[in-house]
Amino acid sequence: MADRQPEAPDDADSDLELDLEELDPLAAGPRYGNGATQHKYHELGARIPLRSLRAGRPRQNPEQEDDAPGHSEGSGDEDAALLSPRNRHRPPRLHSTIRLPSFLAASSPRRGIPRHQPEAGPAEEEHDATTQRTIAVGQSQPARFPANAVSNAKYTPWSFLPRTLYNEFSFFINMYFLLVALSQFIPALQIGYFSTYVVPLAFVLSVTLGKEAFDDIARRRRDAEANSEPYTVLQFENNASGSRLAAGKKSIVRRKLSKRGRTISDIEDEEEQVGTTPAQATASYWEVTRPSRSLKVGDVVKLAKDQRVPADMIILKSYAAEAAAGTLGEAIDAGSSGEAFIRTDQLDGETDWKLRLTSPLTQSLDVGEYLRLRVTAGKPDKKVNEFYGTVELESKKKHHYDPHEEESSSPEHAQSSPLGIDNTIWANTVLASSCNVLAVVVYTGPQTRQALSTSASRSKTGLLELEINALTKFLCIFTLSLSFVLVALNRFHDIDGQKWYVSMMRFLILFSTIVPVGLRVNLDMGKSVYAWLIEHDKSIQGTVVRTSTIPEDLGRVEYLLSDKTGTLTQNEMEMKKIHVGTVSYANEAMDEVATYVQQSFSTPYGDAPHFVTPSSTYVAPLTSATRTRREIGSRVRDVVLALALCHNVTPVSEEEDGQLVTSYQASSPDEIAIIRWTEMVGLRLLQRDRESMTLQSCDSGNNVVRVRILNVFPFTSESKRMGIVVEFYHSPVDTLSADREIWFYQKGADTVMTSIVAANDWLDEETANMAREGLRTLVVGRKRVSVEMYEDFSAKHAQASLALHNRDSAVADVVKQFLEHDLELLGVTGVEDKLQKDVKPSLELLRNAGIKIWMLTGDKVETARCVAVSSKLVARGQYVHTIAKIKRKELAHSSLDFLRGKTDACLLIDGESLALMLTHFRQEFISIAVQLPTVVACRCSPTQKADVAYLIRDHTKKRVCCIGDGGNDVSMIQAADVGVGIVGKEGKQASLAADFSIEQFCYLVKLIVWHGRNSYKRSAKLSQFVIHRGLIISICQTVYSLASSFEPNALYRDWLLVGYSTVYTMAPVFSLVLDRDVDESVANLYPELYAELKLGRSLSTKSFLIWVAVSIYQGSLIQGLSQLLVGIGEPSTHMFAKMVAVSFSVLVINELVMVGMEVTTWHWIMVASIFGTASIYFGSIPFLGEYFDLAFVSSMGFWWRFAVIAAISLIPPYLAKIIGRTIKPPSYRKVQAV
């Protein structure tokens, strides 16, 4: 039915002319809509007499119904009660049918607050986050909880300027120039134009602040996109007062009834028709659409397949999605499974699908009764694999007389049910099942598991900038010393009537170019060039630079911390090998397994169809009737049957392109790989629900096995095994026979299954062989259970399941006592986890580049070990020292003592042991671990990953790079000096939080070894050249001051000073960002070239002092020879103008030639910038008459002096460079044989 807007009331009509369609939502269907948000109404009980409606129903105030459908400004007339227009202004109601006077209503306590009333009122208090919470489902809460908003922004509008300015002025160079600029407000210290000192600093700050603002605005836009994601929320209207109307279905005076000829008798006839229906539900409900940020604790949200979970929630109901095309009530009635699968890779790094179950109490409950539910949950916690709570269904209160309810009916009692991790869906997980889910919000915003495990964003500063900051402090000390020396040489006498300390301050300002303010601008612009080159590199397409301030740090990485799932591996499993005790099958030999399965599950011609059970006799064909083959065939049948039954896989059929396609949903990709393998060899999983399972023969298409599922024991990281108890059907037509056949199947890691299965002599050897091949091993066993034993077990198991304390261990003890011992060993499977493209050569190249690699994963110990071996992270034959499940400090200390003497081993440590190490042996552990070639940490929480990154940074003071692809890696990425995110299959959260985003792990090699190396070497050369450019002009000023009786007068004033550092030298100097010393192929062939970068020789104290010496030499000669060959003169004389023309011209050309001398690989832009700048300078000389003697410049006297001084300035440094390269050539010249 089409939705429509409510019509305006017409006061001219009679009050008795009622539109029954407006009174009866079941008959009318959805009638109200507002914009894009569609509201659907559902009446969950049966109808009640219309007489009850006409008796008067207390309604909410219009102000309290802003979320109700059809509400708009000025709709108060439509909200009138049924009796009379005089009741348009209704008093508040007290959870009953009694109306209170207005002077009493204000102070009356209220219960059952409707969800759509404003939640945050003055009476509400902030909920204490350290205490547990009780949540009224579908209603407003008595306490206030945080908003459900995601924020990755670094700044707020109020903190942006203070924080950015603080960060900028924490750099000494910026603070220095701020003080220099402020000094120009003092008349005695003014030298030249004020803008000469202010504009460069303002430009630097504007560029940096603009970049930070741009980056943060982009983060806010991404946050806004996530926070605006729409979700369907159920709104509830309490029906306790006796009304059968859904919220918003107002009794409105209409003319339509009279036009249709409807009268009071019509109403009474309908009243008689509906008067015999049973009692109504507690509440009516309808759907509204809300953005993610508007979700509140207690909201009931409807989720569909592939929808992101917006907050931490408890599942209340799961139902089939196929029926969702109708109303919600019809969809729920059509079928409900009580289970759902979710993907948690963005939370814990595991893309294994997790099975989630609804509580039987809420699954069977009518949605209209949800207002009676109370969920008790613990305080917000960062533990993603743990949750304890309860759900309580309050007794249904009888508020009014119902003539249709029998007086003898027994009153309802409150019911409660425990809640565990299986009943939860955390924020940023994704619903994977083809079903719809109703869930209640428990934790929002900063209190979700995801938010508590994520560290705050921080501003990152590159190592090169810190080194340059230290150099500028040295330059400042040099400037101060030089100024003091000049004043001291004048014996602290007054100069031009000014005290010696004033003259010293003027010298400081004159020499301020020694500390180059333009250095930050050049470096920031260089970083932008590096980012552009990275993003436009076609061999690593899709790479995005999100933090352009640290590309040089890519060239200084010494530790690489990598996630496993989705980073090193594809998380795509494939069954590679199976061992059944006497024989092993792999590759082509799987065809023989398929032959055995076909023989085992085929019905002989003429026999009645029957189901196969473990006790069925294996019938071998006459052609292979040897005893050995019969035994092998029987063992193969048993292990294939066990693998086809012992799992949590559910087949799902969906229509794609007109064809029915069956896919599998499971909590583990290993299980899906095994089920696909059983299908490949001939036994298909046809049907699975919570109660039964059916297997089909792929050869005949007949159903060959059917079981009733009695118990399932899911896999956990603690148990490392999964079990199932099933009862077999013997015939398709019979129900369970009197001779009940109950079997317990179990599969798990060899470390735990060894003690559970019966004694054998081959298990350890075979699992070790598979592990060496990098396969994930699972041991499969079975045990027949008698009916008496099972009944005894079932009773004890049910009792243990109700324990409030240590429930998990109590259940595990019962299972171990009755089932987990003396299992028949059936076989061992080997599953391969496919690696990402080129992972092995990439890791090898990075290791050869001197980078130590750590793998931090939330996955299991066995899985981590297998991937470390298969990816060659652990070298062949390398000893792997495992530290797992350590709870005592003595054991931890002994492990550390062992590692001290074996620093060539690989360390494999689990999260529990890592936490113990970081708590009690923090410094000892990290001092040993950083020396090891490889460390693998598994079962790590997101916080632990970040802690490890911080610890390595603080202990070694080296650059740490972290790479991951899931939401669980965000904290680690943000804690790193360089964070790299891989665009994952299920989301971009890690990519968005990272400094660099790539699409494949192998792209990291080029990002680090090529782009990182180039960025660092280019910036090092650029920064030293900018320092040289500022230092040489200050040396010229110093020589002039010495020759002019120590007077603090400027040698180059105004435009000459500004133009020298901008127009006349900037482009050639900046073109050094395009220089490279080797080709990409050489950099990849000799990764050792990268290893030497960690020594920091490109920008070291030695290289800096060499440049200082060159600057002093060239500056002294240029100014000294200019004064010697031309003369000095007073600042206003022609001789001074001639001297300035010679020295400044030589100074500019000297810089251009020095750039050419430093270039290793020429680029056309370099050539163009050098010759173009020279042309610009000589072309601008005619306009410099204020500073130069133009007549002298056009004479031969100028040019021979210019040529002589330039030659003496440039030739000796060039010869020294040639001789140095010959005696001790750099590494890049060695590999190129140059």
Side-chain angles (χ1 to χ4, degrees):
M1 302 176 199
D3 291 345
R4 63 176 177 81
Q5 297 291 335
E7 298 178 15
D10 190 339
D11 293 336
D13 289 336
S14 168
D15 287 344
L16 294 178
E17 292 176 339
L18 303 176
D19 189 341
L20 291 184
E21 288 182 0
E22 295 292 339
L23 291 174
D24 189 353
L26 286 178
R31 299 284 296 258
Y32 292 82
N34 190 1
T37 305
Q38 300 297 322
H39 305 281
K40 299 181 180 179
Y41 297 86
H42 310 278
E43 184 63 40
L44 292 185
R47 313 181 180 204
I48 59 174
L50 291 177
R51 184 179 293 109
S52 300
L53 288 177
R54 293 201 302 273
R57 173 189 176 214
R59 311 292 295 275
Q60 295 184 120
N61 290 332
E63 304 87 85
Q64 298 172 340
E65 300 189 15
D66 50 15
D67 281 343
H71 176 78
S72 61
E73 188 177 352
S75 62
D77 292 341
E78 296 189 16
D79 295 336
L82 294 174
L83 284 176
S84 150
R86 291 188 300 272
N87 291 326
R88 293 182 193 273
H89 303 288
R90 298 175 303 281
R93 64 180 175 188
L94 181 72
H95 204 62
S96 69
T97 57
I98 302 174
R99 296 176 185 256
L100 295 178
S102 59
F103 62 88
L104 289 178
S107 59
S108 301
R110 292 188 299 164
R111 298 178 58 194
I113 307 170
R115 158 51 71 194
H116 51 273
Q117 286 191 0
E119 182 179 358
E124 295 175 345
E125 296 180 359
E126 190 75 32
H127 183 266
D128 185 359
T130 61
T131 61
Q132 70 176 25
R133 58 185 65 186
T134 300
I135 299 160
V137 176
Q139 305 179 42
S140 291
Q141 309 305 313
R144 225 172 31 245
F145 296 98
N148 191 50
V150 177
S151 178
N152 289 306
K154 290 182 182 178
Y155 312 103
T156 65
W158 298 273
S159 69
F160 175 74
L161 274 179
R163 285 185 61 186
T164 51
L165 290 176
Y166 174 80
N167 290 337
E168 286 306 303
F169 288 116
S170 63
F171 285 101
F172 180 79
I173 188 171
N174 288 341
M175 179 58 72
Y176 176 80
F177 269 94
L178 177 64
L179 295 176
V180 169
L182 292 176
S183 70
Q184 296 303 292
F185 288 103
I186 303 173
L189 301 180
Q190 287 180 357
I191 301 175
Y193 294 140
F194 178 69
S195 59
T196 305
Y197 304 93
V198 174
V199 171
L201 178 64
F203 180 70
V204 170
L205 294 178
S206 300
V207 170
T208 309
L209 266 63
K211 185 183 294 184
E212 283 291 314
F214 180 81
D215 290 345
D216 212 50
I217 288 171
R219 292 188 198 97
R220 286 185 172 276
R221 283 176 179 165
R222 294 194 294 268
D223 291 341
E225 187 177 340
N227 292 331
S228 300
E229 191 173 349
Y231 287 90
T232 301
V233 180
L234 299 191
Q235 292 277 56
F236 291 88
E237 168 71 16
N238 203 321
N239 283 340
S241 60
S243 168
R244 68 181 182 87
L245 294 179
K249 290 289 185 178
K250 312 299 180 186
S251 177
I252 302 172
V253 181
R254 305 287 188 196
R255 279 192 293 265
K256 290 187 290 183
L257 278 183
S258 58
K259 292 178 181 178
R260 297 175 187 170
R262 302 285 295 275
T263 63
I264 298 300
S265 60
D266 296 328
I267 299 175
E268 292 175 346
D269 290 342
E270 182 167 336
E271 179 181 345
E272 292 176 2
Q273 293 174 13
V274 302
T276 58
T277 54
Q280 66 174 147
T282 300
S284 305
Y285 65 95
W286 66 98
E287 295 178 8
V288 296
T289 301
R290 282 185 183 164
S292 173
R293 63 175 174 271
S294 298
L295 297 180
K296 298 180 176 65
V297 171
D299 276 344
V300 178
V301 181
K302 184 174 85 170
L303 298 171
K305 182 182 179 182
D306 292 330
Q307 199 167 10
R308 181 183 71 89
V309 179
D312 286 358
M313 302 170 129
I314 301 294
I315 300 181
L316 300 178
K317 188 182 288 286
S318 169
Y319 58 94
E322 287 78 5
T327 64
L328 179 59
E330 293 171 353
I332 294 174
D333 294 340
S336 55
S337 60
E339 61 184 33
F341 284 98
I342 60 171
R343 294 192 294 267
T344 64
D345 63 309
Q346 294 296 302
L347 184 68
D348 58 15
E350 300 180 38
T351 51
D352 305 1
W353 288 12
K354 306 293 192 300
L355 178 64
R356 290 295 183 256
L357 307 172
T358 60
S359 170
L361 179 63
T362 60
Q363 177 65 27
S364 58
L365 186 67
D366 212 10
V367 179
E369 304 297 335
Y370 278 4
L371 291 189
R372 295 163 53 200
L373 290 175
R374 298 293 180 269
V375 173
T376 302
K379 63 181 181 180
D381 196 345
K382 63 176 66 174
K383 297 177 182 176
V384 296
N385 295 317
E386 186 177 296
F387 176 79
Y388 297 101
T390 58
V391 58
E392 180 182 0
L393 178 64
E394 294 184 341
S395 58
K396 191 170 184 180
K397 298 177 178 61
K398 188 173 179 181
H399 295 278
H400 59 280
Y401 171 70
D402 190 341
H404 305 291
E405 186 177 340
E406 296 182 9
E407 294 182 4
S408 60
S409 61
S410 59
E412 295 185 28
H413 297 286
Q415 306 174 52
S416 64
S417 179
L419 296 174
I421 188 65
D422 289 340
N423 308 116
T424 64
I425 46 176
W426 300 140
N428 277 329
T429 58
V430 177
L431 186 64
S433 304
S434 299
C435 66
N436 287 350
V437 161
L438 298 182
V440 60
V441 177
V442 179
Y443 305 106
T444 52
Q447 295 183 348
T448 61
R449 259 49 174 186
Q450 173 80 50
L452 291 173
S453 299
T454 303
S455 58
S457 301
R458 67 184 181 92
S459 299
K460 296 184 180 181
T461 304
L463 182 59
L464 184 78
E465 293 198 31
L466 297 176
E467 293 171 343
I468 291 174
N469 201 41
L471 293 179
T472 53
K473 293 177 183 177
F474 169 79
L475 290 173
C476 182
I477 295 172
F478 179 75
T479 305
L480 185 63
S481 304
L482 189 60
S483 303
F484 181 80
V485 167
L486 289 174
V487 174
L489 289 174
N490 196 37
R491 300 179 182 181
F492 302 100
H493 292 158
D494 292 351
I495 301 175
D496 292 339
Q498 295 177 334
K499 296 293 185 182
W500 67 269
Y501 51 83
V502 176
S503 299
M504 182 177 170
M505 292 296 295
R506 287 175 64 86
F507 276 125
L508 275 174
I509 296 169
L510 285 172
F511 297 148
S512 63
T513 53
I514 291 179
V515 185
V517 68
L519 179 57
R520 290 293 307 281
V521 177
N522 279 275
L523 287 177
D524 285 346
M525 292 171 62
K527 295 174 195 292
S528 300
V529 172
Y530 308 148
W532 188 91
L533 293 173
I534 291 171
E535 292 183 341
H536 289 78
D537 189 333
K538 294 183 179 179
S539 62
I540 52 173
Q541 285 186 338
T543 301
V544 179
V545 180
R546 301 197 187 280
T547 305
S548 59
T549 57
I550 55 171
E552 299 93 352
D553 275 13
L554 286 170
R556 308 289 292 277
V557 172
E558 292 195 41
Y559 290 90
L560 175 64
L561 275 54
S562 174
D563 180 40
K564 178 191 71 69
T565 309
T567 304
L568 297 178
T569 68
Q570 300 180 31
N571 210 50
E572 292 181 6
M573 309 299 172
E574 184 179 356
M575 180 90 156
K576 286 288 189 180
K577 199 171 187 180
I578 185 167
H579 196 286
V580 294
T582 55
V583 64
S584 178
Y585 297 97
N587 303 323
E588 292 80 9
M590 293 297 184
D591 294 339
E592 190 174 343
V593 176
T595 303
Y596 284 127
V597 171
Q598 181 181 352
Q599 295 168 0
S600 304
F601 295 97
S602 60
T603 303
Y605 180 76
D607 289 6
H610 66 280
F611 284 144
V612 177
T613 69
S615 60
S616 302
T617 304
Y618 173 73
V619 180
L622 298 176
T623 56
S624 60
T626 63
R627 181 180 176 183
T628 303
R629 291 191 66 82
R630 282 200 302 271
E631 288 180 354
I632 294 174
S634 178
R635 293 181 70 86
V636 168
R637 182 199 70 176
D638 290 342
V639 73
V640 171
L641 180 60
L643 292 172
L645 292 175
C646 186
H647 55 75
N648 261 321
V649 180
T650 303
V652 175
S653 296
E654 296 178 337
E655 188 172 329
E656 294 182 5
D657 300 328
Q659 295 183 345
L660 201 63
V661 178
T662 300
S663 60
Y664 295 112
Q665 296 177 347
S667 61
S668 168
D670 297 67
E671 291 195 326
I672 293 179
I674 291 172
I675 292 303
R676 284 179 178 156
W677 177 82
T678 62
E679 182 178 0
M680 185 189 75
V681 298
L683 195 60
R684 178 188 295 121
L685 176 63
L686 181 66
Q687 172 269 335
R688 162 78 181 260
D689 55 34
R690 296 177 77 171
E691 297 180 350
S692 66
M693 197 183 324
T694 304
L695 305 181
Q696 182 186 61
S697 170
C698 297
D699 181 53
S700 64
N702 297 327
N703 296 347
V704 292
V705 177
R706 188 175 176 218
V707 297
R708 181 159 72 101
I709 301 173
L710 301 178
N711 299 92
V712 176
F713 312 110
F715 184 96
T716 65
S717 57
E718 290 76 25
S719 67
K720 299 179 183 177
R721 56 192 182 271
M722 180 266 168
I724 188 170
V725 180
V726 296
E727 183 173 357
F728 284 85
Y729 289 84
H730 289 81
S731 170
V733 294
D734 295 339
T735 56
L736 294 169
S737 62
D739 182 19
R740 299 177 65 185
E741 190 171 342
I742 301 174
W743 287 82
F744 169 61
Y745 289 99
Q746 191 168 56
K747 66 182 179 189
D750 58 294
T751 52
V752 295
M753 292 295 291
T754 302
S755 59
I756 294 176
V757 298
N760 62 87
D761 58 358
W762 60 270
L763 178 59
D764 292 341
E765 181 182 356
E766 284 304 320
T767 53
N769 290 338
M770 290 187 183
R772 276 192 290 272
E773 296 175 30
L775 300 178
R776 299 156 68 121
T777 56
L778 285 174
V779 179
V780 188
R782 70 176 182 179
K783 179 179 184 177
R784 184 159 186 176
V785 183
S786 65
V787 176
E788 295 77 14
M789 180 190 290
Y790 178 75
E791 290 176 349
D792 193 11
F793 159 77
S794 185
K796 294 284 182 64
H797 183 266
Q799 183 179 354
S801 300
L802 296 175
L804 293 177
H805 301 288
N806 301 321
R807 183 190 305 167
D808 293 342
S809 60
V811 171
D813 290 342
V814 173
V815 175
K816 187 173 183 179
Q817 176 188 350
F818 286 91
L819 303 176
E820 290 183 343
H821 56 82
D822 299 327
L823 265 66
E824 176 190 354
L825 177 59
L826 296 177
V828 182
T829 64
V831 176
E832 180 187 51
D833 189 355
K834 293 182 181 178
L835 297 174
Q836 291 275 8
K837 177 186 175 184
D838 294 335
V839 161
K840 293 180 184 179
S842 298
L843 291 176
E844 182 181 3
L845 195 149
L846 291 172
R847 195 183 291 111
N848 291 336
I851 298 174
K852 291 184 172 67
I853 303 171
W854 290 38
M855 184 172 78
L856 310 179
T857 176
D859 221 329
K860 302 176 282 294
V861 175
E862 293 76 16
T863 307
R865 182 195 297 269
C866 291
V867 172
V869 172
S870 61
S871 66
K872 297 295 186 287
L873 191 62
V874 175
R876 191 174 188 85
Q878 185 179 7
Y879 174 71
V880 179
H881 183 66
T882 304
I883 302 178
K885 297 294 179 185
I886 289 184
K887 294 183 172 62
R888 300 205 313 272
K889 291 192 288 184
E890 310 84 60
L891 294 175
H893 202 274
S894 63
S895 295
L896 290 176
D897 290 339
F898 174 82
L899 284 172
R900 273 195 192 93
K902 198 170 181 63
T903 54
D904 60 341
C906 167
L907 173 61
L908 176 63
I909 186 169
D910 69 347
E912 185 178 352
S913 305
L914 180 63
L916 182 71
M917 292 287 189
L918 297 182
T919 304
H920 299 289
F921 305 101
R922 193 177 187 87
Q923 288 305 316
E924 296 93 325
F925 170 75
I926 197 64
S927 61
I928 296 171
V930 294
Q931 299 176 32
L932 302 176
T934 304
V935 176
V936 178
C938 45
R939 306 309 301 175
C940 283
S941 67
T943 309
Q944 281 181 321
K945 291 183 178 183
D947 286 344
V948 170
Y950 279 123
L951 198 57
I952 296 175
R953 284 178 50 209
D954 294 341
H955 181 79
T956 64
K957 308 301 180 185
K958 306 294 185 183
R959 297 290 97 175
V960 176
C961 175
C962 293
I963 181 170
D965 76 314
N968 63 311
D969 301 317
V970 170
S971 292
M972 175 179 72
I973 287 171
Q974 291 177 339
D977 296 298
V978 180
V980 181
I982 296 180
V983 179
K985 293 181 179 179
E986 307 301 336
K988 295 184 178 181
Q989 191 169 358
S991 163
L992 295 175
D995 305 308
F996 300 89
S997 169
I998 58 178
E999 294 189 346
Q1000 297 182 38
F1001 180 84
C1002 60
Y1003 289 179
L1004 182 67
V1005 172
K1006 187 167 187 181
L1007 192 65
I1008 288 180
V1009 174
W1010 175 243
H1011 289 290
R1013 183 175 183 276
N1014 286 341
S1015 298
Y1016 169 62
K1017 291 188 74 68
R1018 288 165 173 172
S1019 286
K1021 184 179 291 186
L1022 175 65
S1023 59
Q1024 290 178 121
F1025 218 98
V1026 173
I1027 290 173
H1028 161 74
R1029 184 179 65 186
L1031 191 56
I1032 191 173
I1033 195 174
S1034 297
I1035 297 298
C1036 291
Q1037 175 68 52
T1038 304
V1039 173
Y1040 170 71
S1041 298
L1042 287 171
S1044 60
S1045 304
F1046 306 103
E1047 293 184 3
N1049 295 323
L1051 172 63
Y1052 307 124
R1053 293 180 296 110
D1054 307 334
W1055 167 250
L1056 294 184
L1057 197 61
V1058 174
Y1060 171 75
S1061 59
T1062 55
V1063 179
Y1064 298 147
T1065 60
M1066 187 171 182
V1069 171
F1070 185 70
S1071 69
L1072 289 172
V1073 299
L1074 301 174
D1075 191 20
R1076 53 186 173 86
D1077 53 1
V1078 295
D1079 292 331
E1080 182 183 347
S1081 58
V1082 176
N1084 290 329
L1085 187 61
Y1086 298 99
E1088 295 79 7
L1089 290 173
Y1090 182 89
E1092 70 176 15
L1093 295 184
K1094 62 184 178 182
L1095 301 175
R1097 289 175 179 168
S1098 297
L1099 182 62
S1100 61
T1101 304
K1102 178 183 176 181
S1103 66
F1104 171 72
L1105 292 177
I1106 290 174
W1107 277 102
V1108 170
V1110 171
S1111 301
I1112 293 174
Y1113 167 78
Q1114 291 184 330
S1116 301
L1117 279 180
I1118 290 172
Q1119 184 60 29
L1121 289 175
S1122 297
Q1123 294 174 178
L1124 189 63
L1125 296 177
V1126 179
I1128 303 176
E1130 293 298 323
S1132 58
T1133 62
H1134 287 288
M1135 184 177 292
F1136 178 79
K1138 292 177 182 180
M1139 183 268 295
V1140 168
V1142 172
S1143 68
F1144 189 79
S1145 299
V1146 174
L1147 190 64
V1148 170
I1149 299 305
N1150 179 82
E1151 285 302 296
L1152 301 185
V1153 176
M1154 285 292 291
V1155 169
M1157 289 167 55
E1158 287 300 312
V1159 172
T1160 305
T1161 305
W1162 284 93
H1163 191 284
W1164 69 266
I1165 293 180
M1166 296 177 176
V1167 178
S1169 64
I1170 290 174
F1171 285 100
T1173 301
S1175 302
I1176 290 173
Y1177 172 69
F1178 288 114
S1180 67
I1181 288 178
F1183 303 99
L1184 301 178
E1186 183 182 350
Y1187 313 103
F1188 293 173
D1189 185 340
L1190 298 181
F1192 175 70
V1193 172
S1194 60
S1195 67
M1196 284 300 296
F1198 168 84
W1199 289 103
W1200 73 262
R1201 291 177 176 86
F1202 169 83
V1204 169
I1205 297 173
I1208 297 175
S1209 164
L1210 291 166
I1211 292 175
Y1214 182 71
L1215 291 176
K1217 184 175 182 180
I1218 296 297
I1219 294 171
R1221 282 183 177 178
T1222 305
I1223 296 174
K1224 191 178 180 181
S1227 300
Y1228 71 88
R1229 295 181 72 85
K1230 292 179 183 178
V1231 299
Q1232 290 177 321
V1234 177

